[in-house]
Amino acid sequence: MKEFEIALKIGKELTEEQLRAEAARKLGVQPAGVGTVRVVRRSIDARQDVLYRYKVEAFRAGETAPEYALPPYQDVHDAEPVIVVGAGPAGMFAALRLLMEGRKPIVLERGKDVHARKRDMATLATTGAVNPESNYCFGEGGAGAFSDGKLYTRSSKRGDIREVLHQLVAFGADPSILIDAHPHIGTDRLPIIVEKIRQCIIDHGGEYHFDTKVIDISPEFMEEGVGEKSVATLGHVRVSALTPEGEKEYKASAVILATGHSARDVYEMIHGKGWALEPKGFALGVRVEHPQWMINQMRYHGKYQPFMPTAEYSFVHQEDGRGVFSFCMCPGGVLVPSATEEQSIVLNGMSNSARNSKWANAGVVVQIEPGDEPEEYRDRGPFALMDFQRDVERSMYAYTAEHKREGQNPLAAPAQRMKDFCRGLESKDLPKTSYTPGAIPAPLHELLPEHVARRLRRTFPQIDRQMHGYYTNDALLFGVESRTSSPVRIPRDPETLQHPACPGLYPCGEGAGYAGGIVSSALDGIACALKAAGREMGREMEVVDN
Ligand SMILES: Cc1cc2nc3c(=O)[nH]c(=O)nc-3n(C[C@H](O)[C@H](O)[C@H](O)COP(=O)(O)OP(=O)(O)OC[C@H]3O[C@@H](n4cnc5c(N)ncnc54)[C@H](O)[C@@H]3O)c2cc1C
């Protein structure tokens, strides 16, 4: 096998003949001596001309080209159950892996199915009414269902990313996600995939229960042996949940807790039981929206053509001892209200598969470490950063509640032009935005915590050196981007992945503090499923930072 690269101007097609001719040259054989030839990676190089760079694998005729094969899903109607709390990426991929392991996943989800959930989000955008059980973070598909569906991860984690990508393709994602350096699915396609995953789990004997909010988890032990020789072993873990029909109980020997970074009540439930929790750093800042044409011109150095992929960007910067970085950039996307509680304002972004809106948005956030919170939060134990996060979200709402026009959507967000923010000036007017609830001119330089505002104000002009034109008053900043990752960690044994106070409980995914983003959460779901099924994890694998 030989690996080689081909670079081609974007817009030109890479033909089979071209590939085979190049493969013959690289392998040093006649074209008839070439076997399988396949593109394994595609990335964009816009340093000079705008090129697609293809990484290709070529095999000689007769040589076997290894194929990736997923283990089959088993019929689990009568198998031993594992409870999976949360139907986000971690929960869904845990459930799929349980099917492969011959265990019956029972998925408990506080929100609605992905179809019904859409209606609540439409209401959110038009009336500002937040349904605390069904919103941009809660409901089938989790926080990733209505997103850009970016599938790259910076984390280096245990697990095989191919297991996630190949299943997504099997459930309807475009096969290009298997080779693109920056794959994404788009919010128009994700719900269909999420529904197919659920159908597959149910068809194989698993269960899904919507409107089922878990409110308590307890291990129940049984005595084995007699007298002094008796030992207490885990009988099962009992899970209590609120459902429209009243409180229900579920039991299993293993429970995967994959409730995401916004389930503050789950952290409170764990803390209330006296089980360990730890504060964890997260990141806080603003959502920035530029006209997409500006980002296209910046990234493609003025050579953008409409047939080229919509340009994206990312940066990492150090400012006064803390990282300031772009987060979850949505090219050709729209801003969405992603609060899970009333009277708070949180923004995030999503894009369609075509990434064809007129706007580009990204979080630009400052790393917050335990101890960075103001003095008054220091006695809150594991909730110091979570309470700080919540209060910043509420302060945004409090400002707009006072300044909004009569009849304006209560989720209209505080906004400021970028240069005005850096210069400490209120914006007299605001440009058009993709954010449906609307924008209200606000002094974000004063509303944000001082150490966050200061670092952001210094960062934006610096970024202009890398991306000329980025620092502009045509860019709009919105408060606040705060649900970047969990501000709390639920501890687990690094080997067994179980909570130290509750054998059989597997804290999992972003909410437990072990993942960030769709892919790494899915990988953590798989890792927990393997442990819950009593299997060792697969080989260690580095997930390359794209
Ligand atoms: C608008 C938006 C856009 C995003 N875009 C991207 C992107 O393009 N790419 C990317 O990689 N990441 C993106 N993210 C982040 C990504 O969605 C998360 O990192 C990922 O979904 C985390 O997966 P998870 O399964 O750990 O948790 P979640 O997806 O948060 O899922 C948790 C699930 O648990 C349920 N739940 C919570 N509490 C309970 C309870 N008590 N009982 C029962 N169920 C409960 C919730 O309803 C939810 O469905 C985006 C997030 C948002 C909000």
Side-chain angles (χ1 to χ4, degrees), residues 99-410:
L99 288 188
M100 294 173 191
E101 297 300 316
R103 301 290 294 271
K104 177 183 179 122
I106 299 183
V107 181
L108 309 181
E109 167 55 55
R110 74 193 295 163
K112 300 180 185 171
D113 71 74
V114 72
H115 192 68
R117 192 179 163 195
K118 273 188 196 170
R119 284 195 289 274
D120 291 321
M121 273 160 350
T123 310
L124 188 64
T126 48
T127 68
V130 179
N131 178 340
E133 312 302 339
S134 178
N135 46 56
Y136 274 94
C137 293
F138 293 162
E140 187 184 17
F146 299 95
S147 73
D148 179 41
K150 280 176 287 296
L151 299 175
Y152 32 104
T153 171
R154 290 179 181 169
S155 64
S156 157
K157 289 189 62 68
R158 290 177 200 195
D160 192 340
I161 194 169
R162 288 177 303 177
E163 180 167 334
V164 178
L165 297 184
H166 278 264
Q167 287 186 99
L168 287 169
V169 171
F171 290 115
D174 193 293
S176 63
I177 66 167
L178 299 174
I179 59 164
D180 274 340
H182 285 185
H184 87 109
I185 294 183
T187 190
D188 46 334
R189 301 211 175 138
L190 278 159
I192 303 163
I193 294 171
V194 165
E195 275 183 326
K196 285 189 180 163
I197 290 177
R198 182 206 329 144
Q199 203 49 54
C200 168
I201 291 167
I202 293 171
D203 287 348
H204 285 84
E207 291 177 17
Y208 258 72
H209 302 270
F210 293 113
D211 287 318
T212 302
K213 176 160 90 172
V214 169
I215 51 163
D216 190 45
I217 298 173
S218 307
E220 291 191 345
F221 295 93
M222 47 187 200
E223 293 283 315
E224 272 181 2
V226 278
E228 280 181 7
K229 287 190 179 156
S230 77
V231 282
T233 56
L234 180 72
H236 53 252
V237 184
R238 186 169 47 80
V239 172
S240 310
L242 286 182
T243 77
E245 296 84 44
E247 202 169 313
K248 281 196 182 159
E249 280 200 355
Y250 300 83
K251 286 178 183 177
S253 59
V255 175
I256 295 174
L257 184 69
T259 43
H261 60 28
S262 292
R264 290 168 171 161
D265 47 3
V266 172
Y267 302 128
E268 280 156 6
M269 180 260 288
I270 290 175
H271 189 59
K273 299 176 81 69
W275 296 352
L277 283 179
E278 298 158 3
K280 181 188 141 293
F282 72 112
L284 179 68
V286 289
R287 268 269 144 186
V288 178
E289 188 171 66
H290 284 82
Q292 179 65 50
W293 70 263
M294 284 189 174
I295 304 296
N296 290 342
Q297 292 304 319
M298 273 174 235
R299 302 302 291 158
Y300 290 123
H301 310 296
K303 294 177 195 154
Y304 175 74
Q305 300 283 329
F307 57 80
M308 292 177 182
T310 316
E312 47 190 310
Y313 68 84
S314 74
F315 60 81
V316 181
H317 176 77
Q318 280 293 318
E319 192 60 56
D320 194 14
R322 288 281 175 273
V324 182
F325 52 93
S326 62
F327 174 79
C328 190
M329 199 255 154
C330 296
V334 295
L335 293 164
V336 295
S338 57
T340 49
E341 295 170 355
E342 285 185 349
Q343 307 203 344
S344 52
I345 290 183
V346 184
L347 269 80
N348 211 308
M350 68 180 193
S351 322
N352 276 330
S353 51
R355 288 180 161 171
N356 57 1
S357 93
K358 285 190 277 183
W359 288 279
N361 72 71
V364 177
V365 289
V366 179
Q367 186 60 33
I368 305 288
E369 296 296 345
D372 285 352
E373 71 279 6
E375 197 71 39
E376 66 261 33
Y377 296 90
R378 301 267 159 87
D379 60 355
R380 314 259 178 113
F383 297 140
L385 287 177
M386 187 177 94
D387 289 353
F388 171 53
Q389 179 195 46
R390 178 189 264 147
D391 285 351
V392 173
E393 294 166 359
R394 286 181 177 167
S395 70
M396 299 292 146
Y397 184 91
Y399 182 87
T400 51
E402 213 176 290
H403 293 84
K404 74 183 167 72
R405 292 187 317 272
E406 213 182 302
Q408 200 169 5
N409 189 314

Side-chain angles (χ1 to χ4, degrees), residues 56-78:
V56 182
E57 279 180 358
F59 296 82
R60 289 167 194 271
E63 209 180 340
T64 318
E67 293 295 338
Y68 179 75
L70 281 166
Y73 304 124
Q74 299 181 37
D75 185 301
V76 297
H77 282 90
D78 301 318

